[in-house]
């Protein structure tokens, strides 16, 4: 029986652990540090934090793990996959050199320019003065981004020069994201799409499309978050469009990184804007998206363990295809009071069993166990995913289950997949 170690503690990792457990290879699934939700599902938590790379490598060796699946970006950018490789442990995810595509927006923008991938035009600011000098000539709305990993929060969309001045203060005055360069980008209009491709260093194999909701409030109002909900598949994004995007976006990156001697293995996540001039890349990530993964993996019919294991081998995906269920999936994120500016912890959560009995899959994003009770322990607390033959039915099931869950200060969006349901007419 293969043994798999999932690195992380969020909803994405919980969804990965569950999908792995459904593999016909019947793997033993461990997690580190793990979460109370994963423990409830019987996945042993090793408790080693994602920042303790040496600890994770030592545990993977000691426990004779066959495959380590890395969820979050930080350990990838810091070189966990390189370290595991040196220790002779197979790992799913890119090396530090390949993960730079997520770790540095400036690097990713240059790479896209070099390869000719459609994306927003941009420029870099290294200082407050440089930024202030340029703002009067920028066109608005404009987008300002910190060049660091900021869990989706380092992006400020500025409707006017005055807003851009305030944003520049956040980056260079307040230094909310530390000492970072700042990227100014052209604002792209359109609908967003998340398209993940599994990569084996040579080939980019697209997964099913998904959409996520970045803003905290209904109708895409309020500040950006790590993601407040998702659904999959996406109306009008058919197999042909998925193939086209993979060939014009993912595959050229995989080819270029291979040519540069830093082959990309793992998930290459393109965050795209479907603009009137065609799809353009907003950003690349080097790992599964959260919360898109929670909506995507329940639709997967193929053996996820085989897919991840093949991605970790050079050209391992050769001849591999992925099968998806026809069902729609909708994921609603339940967040704690104060999110995204802050978060609240220690609030008792009730109704988890009722929500599951209502036919939803609950994954834990930020919970803790105190005196036998599950309590909040983070900004995004729980994800509620339901499947259905139409986006409308999946949506109804997800919200019916979400409404069974209670905790003080709970926030959720009420419009996840609403437009998809309207478009599909069900
Ligand atoms: P990023 O972390 O770069 O994906 O940015 C987070 C979110 O900010 C994106 O998902 C978009 O909603 C928004 N965003 C980022 N860049 C742009 C852009 N150039 N035009 C419009 N919206 C953007
Ligand atoms: N869903 C956005 C992200 O994972 O970055």
């Amino acid at each position: 029986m293969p043994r798999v170690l999932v690195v992380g503690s969020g909803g994405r990792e919980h969804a990965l652990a569950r999908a792995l457990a459904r593999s016909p290879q019947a793997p033993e699934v461990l997690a580190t540090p793990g979460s109370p939700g994963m423990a409830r599902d019987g996945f042993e938590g090793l408790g080693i934090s994602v920042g303790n790379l040496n600890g994770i490598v030592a545990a993977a060796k000691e426990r004779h793990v066959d495959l380590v699946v890395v969820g979050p970006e930080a350990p990838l950018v810091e070189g966990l996959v390189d370290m595991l490789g040196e220790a002779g442990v197979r790992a799913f995810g890119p090396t530090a050199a390949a993960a730079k595509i997520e770790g540095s927006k400036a690097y990713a923008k240059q790479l896209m320019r070099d390869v000719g991938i459609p994306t927003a035009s941009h420029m870099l600011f290294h200082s407050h003065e440089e930024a202030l000098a340029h703002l009067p000539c920028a066109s608005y709305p404009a987008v300002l981004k910190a060049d660091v990993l900021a869990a989706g929060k380092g992006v400020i969309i500025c409707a006017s020069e005055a807003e851009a001045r305030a944003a520049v203060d956040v980056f260079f005055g307040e230094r909310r994201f530390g000492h970072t360069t700042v990227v100014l980008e052209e604002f792209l209009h359109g609908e967003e799409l998340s398209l993940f491709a599994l990569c084996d260093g040579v080939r980019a194999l697209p997964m099913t499309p998904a959409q996520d909701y970045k803003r905290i409030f209904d109708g895409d109002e309020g500040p950006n978050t790590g993601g407040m909900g998702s659904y999959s598949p996406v109306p009008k994004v058919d197999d042909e469009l998925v193939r086209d995007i993979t060939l014009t976006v993912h595959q050229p990156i995989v080819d270029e990184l291979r040519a540069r001697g830093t082959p990309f293995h793992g998930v290459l996540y393109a965050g795209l804007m479907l603009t009137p001039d065609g799809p353009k890349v907003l950003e690349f990530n080097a790992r599964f998206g959260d919360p898109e993964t929670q909506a995507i993996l329940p639709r997967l019919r193929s053996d996820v363990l085989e897919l991840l294991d093949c991605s970790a081998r050079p050209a391992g995906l050769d001849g591999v295809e992925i099968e998806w269920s026809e069902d729609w999936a909708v994921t609603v994120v339940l967040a704690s009071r104060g999110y995204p500016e802050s978060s609240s912890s220690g609030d008792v959560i009730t109704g988890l069993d009722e929500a599951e009995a209502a036919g939803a899959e609950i994954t834990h994003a930020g919970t803790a166990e105190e005196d036998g009770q599950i309590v909040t322990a983070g900004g995004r607390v729980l994800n509620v995913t339901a499947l259905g033959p139409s986006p409308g039915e999946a949506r109804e099931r997800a919200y019916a289950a979400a409404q069974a869950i209670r905790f003080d200060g709970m926030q959720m969006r009420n419009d996840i997949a609403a437009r998809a349901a309207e478009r599909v007419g069900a």
Side-chain angles (χ1 to χ4, degrees), residues 105 143 145 155 185-188 192 214 224 282-283:
K105 288 186 188 286
V143 185
K145 303 183 177 184
V155 174
E185 262 184 35
E186 163 200 11
F187 181 84
L188 298 177
E192 281 186 55
K214 292 258 168 46
N224 263 339
L282 290 172
E283 64 162 352

Side-chain angles (χ1 to χ4, degrees), residues 244-296:
D244 281 355
I245 296 174
T246 312
L247 289 178
T248 50
V249 171
H250 301 79
Q251 190 62 51
I253 293 286
V254 169
D255 292 343
E256 177 68 15
L257 292 182
R258 182 183 174 207
R260 291 185 185 188
T262 55
F264 191 99
H265 290 263
V267 188
L268 181 59
Y269 162 154
L272 300 144
M273 191 69 91
L274 301 175
T275 77
D277 306 327
K280 294 192 179 177
V281 174
L282 290 172
E283 64 162 352
F284 281 113
N285 294 316
R287 37 89 193 163
F288 281 108
D290 190 342
E292 294 96 316
T293 302
Q294 291 87 313
I296 283 180

Side-chain angles (χ1 to χ4, degrees), residues 99-112:
K100 199 171 172 195
I101 196 164
E102 171 161 11
S104 165
K105 288 186 188 286
Y107 168 82
K109 292 297 284 188
Q110 188 59 45
L111 182 62
M112 284 188 257

Side-chain angles (χ1 to χ4, degrees), residues 255-399:
D255 292 343
E256 177 68 15
L257 292 182
R258 182 183 174 207
R260 291 185 185 188
T262 55
F264 191 99
H265 290 263
V267 188
L268 181 59
Y269 162 154
L272 300 144
M273 191 69 91
L274 301 175
T275 77
D277 306 327
K280 294 192 179 177
V281 174
L282 290 172
E283 64 162 352
F284 281 113
N285 294 316
R287 37 89 193 163
F288 281 108
D290 190 342
E292 294 96 316
T293 302
Q294 291 87 313
I296 283 180
L297 290 181
R299 301 188 46 239
L300 181 64
R301 287 284 161 270
S302 308
D303 175 358
V304 75
L305 177 54
E306 190 192 348
L307 290 173
L308 302 188
D309 191 71
C310 289
S311 307
R313 300 168 192 263
L317 290 169
D318 197 25
V320 171
E321 295 304 325
I322 311 182
E323 265 184 68
W324 300 99
S325 130
E326 295 285 307
D327 275 338
W328 294 74
V330 172
T331 298
V332 178
V333 171
L334 310 184
S336 72
R337 190 198 312 283
Y339 185 71
E341 283 83 13
S342 62
S343 63
S344 148
S345 53
D347 300 308
V348 174
I349 302 169
T350 59
L352 289 171
D353 293 338
E354 291 85 333
E356 231 143 21
E361 184 173 317
I362 313 296
T363 47
H364 291 227
T367 65
E369 197 154 357
E370 272 174 20
D371 307 326
Q373 286 182 308
I374 303 286
V375 300
T376 62
R380 292 189 291 177
V381 177
L382 295 162
N383 314 129
V384 181
T385 301
L387 294 166
S390 67
E393 277 176 74
R395 195 176 122 74
E396 265 169 42
R397 285 178 197 165
Y399 277 107

